[in-house]
């Protein structure tokens, strides 16, 4: 038997630590503190009169000096508490930060993602799918073309890329297997050189899933048109 990092035990330990620290803060006299049980993370609710908000802490362990972590979230029910999944969220966030520093001040790439994510309400596509499409385009389309006046064209190109990905049943993961990923963002060499991961692989093997995804794309397109009409 080896030693394993148990996320459930870690969550309970972290909660006790935060609870003790919270009682030492002056804010504890005016704000209520409540722990919301969760197997894979720590959720805290703070409340005061009519105000209330929730904080969620997700645990992660860094792989060496890279920007790849194994995280405590994202596992299915029934999975052992010692199971951690690899996540590229930090590397992706650093890429977007890298883009924001180089993009024009009136760049609309964040607005595009926000608008499309809002249009996802009631649609099956995940925000991660749209973020993946956006990051691919940000790495291929010159940043000067993401200015505010080109906002409608940028939205159109995102939707065209998504439609093309649906038609070919292929959407490559932006980090895994992407040899053009910025070298100044540290990745394990085997991950950078890995076979590109297809996020739409399930569409290639299940015809019903593919037909449903096409219907969801049409719903997304319709919802976006409605949103644009009401915003003017």
């Amino acid at each position: 038997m080896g030693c394993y990092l148990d996320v459930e035990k870690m969550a309970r330990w972290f909660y006790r630590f935060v609870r003790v620290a919270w009682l030492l803060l002056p804010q504890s006299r005016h704000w209520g503190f409540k722990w919301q049980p969760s197997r894979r993370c720590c959720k805290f609710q703070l409340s005061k009169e009519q105000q209330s908000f929730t904080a969620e802490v997700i645990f992660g362990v860094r792989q060496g000096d890279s920007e790849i972590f194994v995280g405590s979230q994202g596992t299915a029910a029934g999975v052992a508490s010692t199971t951690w999944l690899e996540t590229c969220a930090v590397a992706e966030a650093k890429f977007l930060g890298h883009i924001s520093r180089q993009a024009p001040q009136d760049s609309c790439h964040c607005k595009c993602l926000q608008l499309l994510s809002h249009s996802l309400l009631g649609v099956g596509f995940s925000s991660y799918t749209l973020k993946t499409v956006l990051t691919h385009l940000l790495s291929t389309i010159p940043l000067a073309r993401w200015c505010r006046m080109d906002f409608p064209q940028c939205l159109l190109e995102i939707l065209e890329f998504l439609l093309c990905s649906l038609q070919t049943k292929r959407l490559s993961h932006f980090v895994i297997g992407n040899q053009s990923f910025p070298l100044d963002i540290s990745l394990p060499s085997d991950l950078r050189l890995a076979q590109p991961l297809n996020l739409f692989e399930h569409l290639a093997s299940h015809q019903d899933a593919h037909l449903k995804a096409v219907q969801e794309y049409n719903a997304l397109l319709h919802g976006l048109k409605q949103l644009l009409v009401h915003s003017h």
Side-chain angles (χ1 to χ4, degrees):
M1 297 289 293
C3 295
Y4 299 93
L5 195 58
D6 190 310
V7 66
E8 290 186 25
K9 292 179 180 178
M10 177 179 289
R12 289 195 295 269
W13 170 84
F14 188 76
Y15 165 72
R16 289 194 294 268
F17 175 81
V18 171
R19 178 65 179 172
V20 171
W22 171 254
L23 294 174
L24 299 176
L25 296 175
Q27 290 85 348
S28 64
R29 303 187 190 120
H30 310 290
W31 285 83
F33 178 92
K34 183 180 180 180
W35 177 51
Q36 297 182 332
S38 177
R39 291 180 61 248
R40 309 289 306 182
C41 63
C42 274
K43 292 183 180 180
F44 306 96
Q45 184 180 52
L46 298 176
S47 57
K48 176 184 177 183
E49 298 176 351
Q50 302 301 316
Q51 301 180 66
S52 177
F53 65 91
T54 301
E56 181 176 2
V57 178
I58 298 173
F59 306 106
V61 179
R62 191 175 189 178
Q63 296 188 33
D65 61 352
S66 75
E67 302 302 339
I68 304 300
F69 289 70
V70 288
S72 63
Q73 276 288 72
T75 57
V79 174
S81 60
T82 53
T83 299
W84 297 62
L85 294 184
E86 189 173 69
T87 173
C88 300
V90 174
E92 291 164 346
K94 290 214 167 187
F95 171 80
L96 290 174
H98 173 84
I99 290 294
S100 295
R101 288 190 295 272
Q102 297 186 21
Q105 287 189 344
D106 65 344
S107 177
C108 66
H109 67 279
C110 289
K111 183 180 179 182
C112 285
L113 185 59
Q114 291 169 353
L115 182 61
L116 288 168
S117 296
H118 184 78
S119 303
L120 281 174
L121 296 175
V123 179
F125 286 110
S126 69
S127 57
Y128 188 76
T129 294
L130 290 178
K131 187 173 79 168
T132 300
V133 170
L134 177 65
T135 49
H136 277 295
L137 289 173
L138 285 171
S139 66
T140 55
I141 297 177
L143 294 178
R145 285 177 49 194
W146 290 89
C147 59
R148 188 171 302 165
M149 64 180 297
D150 292 327
F151 176 65
Q153 180 61 32
C154 291
L155 278 178
L156 180 61
E157 289 182 340
I158 292 172
L159 292 172
E160 287 179 345
F161 190 102
L162 178 57
L163 179 59
C164 181
S165 298
L166 285 173
Q167 291 171 338
T168 59
K169 302 176 184 178
R170 178 162 195 87
L171 176 61
S172 295
H173 194 283
F174 184 65
V175 179
I176 300 174
N178 184 0
Q179 296 186 35
S180 62
F181 194 80
L183 293 175
D184 57 344
I185 301 177
S186 178
L187 300 179
S189 58
D190 59 340
L191 188 142
R192 193 183 291 271
L193 299 174
Q195 186 70 21
L197 180 66
N198 181 15
L199 300 181
F200 280 176
E201 185 176 358
H202 64 291
L203 301 183
S205 54
H206 296 88
Q207 183 63 23
D208 290 344
H210 181 250
L211 291 174
K212 183 180 179 182
V214 172
Q215 293 172 350
E216 289 168 347
Y217 172 84
N218 292 329
L220 173 62
L221 189 61
H222 176 74
L224 183 61
K225 288 179 179 178
Q226 294 292 106
L227 198 61
L228 289 174
V229 167
H230 291 304
S231 64
H232 284 81

